[in-house]
Amino acid sequence: MATAYDNFAAHIAELNDILCSISVLKWDARTQMPHGGAETRGHQLATLSRLSQEHFISDKTARLLDAAEAEIASEDPDSYRVRAVRQTRQYFEIIRKLPLDLVGEKAALEPVSEGVWAAAKQNNDFASFAPYLQKQVDLARRQADAIGYAEHPFDALVFEYEPSMTASKLRVLFEGLKVGLLPLLREIVANDKPLEKDLWMREYPLDKQKAFGWEMAQKFGYDVNRGRLDIAPHPFEISFTRQDVRITTRYKLNYFPMALYGTLHETGHALYEQGVDPSLTRSALAIDFLGKYPVGGTSYGVHESQSRLWENQIGRSRAFWNAHIDRFRHYFPEVGAEVDPEFMYRAVNRVRPSLIRVEADEVTYNLHIMLRVELELGLMDGSLKVADLPEVWNAKMEEYLGVTPPDDSRGVLQDIHWSGGGFGSFPGYTVGNVMSAQFLEAARRDVSGLDASLEAGEYAPLLGWLTENIYRHGRAFSGSELLIRTTGNDLTVEPYLRYLRAKFTDLYALPL
Ligand code: ZN
């Protein structure tokens, strides 16, 4: 006879099926669908989203949860069963707190606001976007009030993306980064000299770019029987259970790093999803109840820790180019004859303060995020007015990066996030960077000979450690819990600052 937990799990498995089906339609819309399909696809997605909400926020879910909770009451609090029930309860209560009119207003505003933002960015016209941004700010604050928070309204919003983060923890995090990064950046800028030849003006045939990136993804451990690679203007990874985990990248004929590092970044996300324990398939621990990416991983920050670990700490390492220069020469013989691994290592690690977040290097990237998070905190607690955003944005760019945007298109209007009401999502990028260094230090401590294997281009020992300690758990443990279980510490900037200082002191021949 089915137990109460079995009945609960079967009900959640159906919800998982609906959410994964929504994701398939989203993947199709972003990679294959003809433009003409947009309107009807919108209806299909809206209908399925409504069905998933009705399925979840139902009296049946409440009954099944009550019964399952009673049944597992005395079980190990760290077991997957207990964690699945507990997390379902947590999200069930949060979603039930959101007033229906607020959810409806948000859903209706999003496409309009994103459209206005896209035009405003195109025309460098912040004033036309400001009223829509104000509406998004007002809705986000209403949402924070509905969910509730202890200290700062931002706490309720960041929970959706990084459950173990709060405004006050983020302030500490960024203060630590600022103290470490700003002096390092100043030293690098003072020591910068152009590379002796500009490789990125050559032509890199797209089919060769794809083949090299695909080969490297498989070297890292991406299982192509459960994956595929497509083209998308904004690269992403998406999964419909661990059995089908897809990635995308974009190509530029004259700029080789874009496609390769896009592929390696999304491969990092995919390795996480493919590594979730098979027993969690269709369960509450491989699902995002809020209908947001990521699906099987536990949070934005932990997901980004994996994409960035594989892209930057592995893919942009000297060891990577030492190990794979022959394969690069195989695909690109003319350029390959002119370069050695050391040149490639330098060429893909150039640090330059710039205006655009998505083009930023490892050292400046977090300063872009810090600026955004500071502004979001101000918008949410009312200390910053929407009308003052462009001016404050530009002043902070000058203060942190030493560059001032010539217009709002390359300043406050550059990112889509705020137009969709995505307040609270930016910290995940920096949290991910910081976590990635903590995890890699722990892997080095636990796996003897790890660096020798990386030098040899062998990634199974690293992937094995990450799978065992992070990937297999799906969403069972929060980012904070995973860090404490693997490293003994909660989030701390020291390993990340150590990593950056060592790497760029070497690259830029800075005094130690
Ligand atoms: Zn990512």
Side-chain angles (χ1 to χ4, degrees), residues 323-338:
H324 303 303
I325 193 73
D326 289 345
R327 298 308 295 157
F328 177 80
R329 288 176 176 144
H330 167 79
Y331 289 112
F332 309 103
E334 281 177 33
V335 177
E338 290 181 49

Side-chain angles (χ1 to χ4, degrees), residues 3-6 8 64-87 89:
T3 64
Y5 182 84
D6 293 337
F8 156 80
L64 291 168
L65 258 178
D66 288 341
E69 279 168 342
E71 189 176 276
I72 58 150
S74 58
E75 293 181 18
D76 173 6
D78 280 351
S79 73
Y80 287 165
R81 283 161 57 95
V82 172
R83 295 250 159 178
V85 173
R86 198 201 293 166
Q87 283 197 22
R89 167 65 73 189

Side-chain angles (χ1 to χ4, degrees), residues 265-266 269 293 304 307-308 429:
H265 179 97
E266 303 309 333
H269 284 301
Y293 167 94
E304 282 298 308
S307 55
R308 280 149 200 276
Y429 299 110

Side-chain angles (χ1 to χ4, degrees), residues 422-442:
F423 302 101
S425 66
F426 279 121
Y429 299 110
T430 288
V431 168
N433 280 327
V434 171
M435 282 182 178
S436 73
Q438 291 184 263
F439 286 135
L440 197 53
E441 277 197 358

Side-chain angles (χ1 to χ4, degrees), residues 80 275 462-473 485:
Y80 287 165
L462 176 60
L463 181 59
W465 186 92
L466 293 167
T467 304
E468 172 65 23
N469 289 286
I470 303 170
Y471 302 171
R472 71 186 173 96
H473 296 307
R485 287 167 65 98

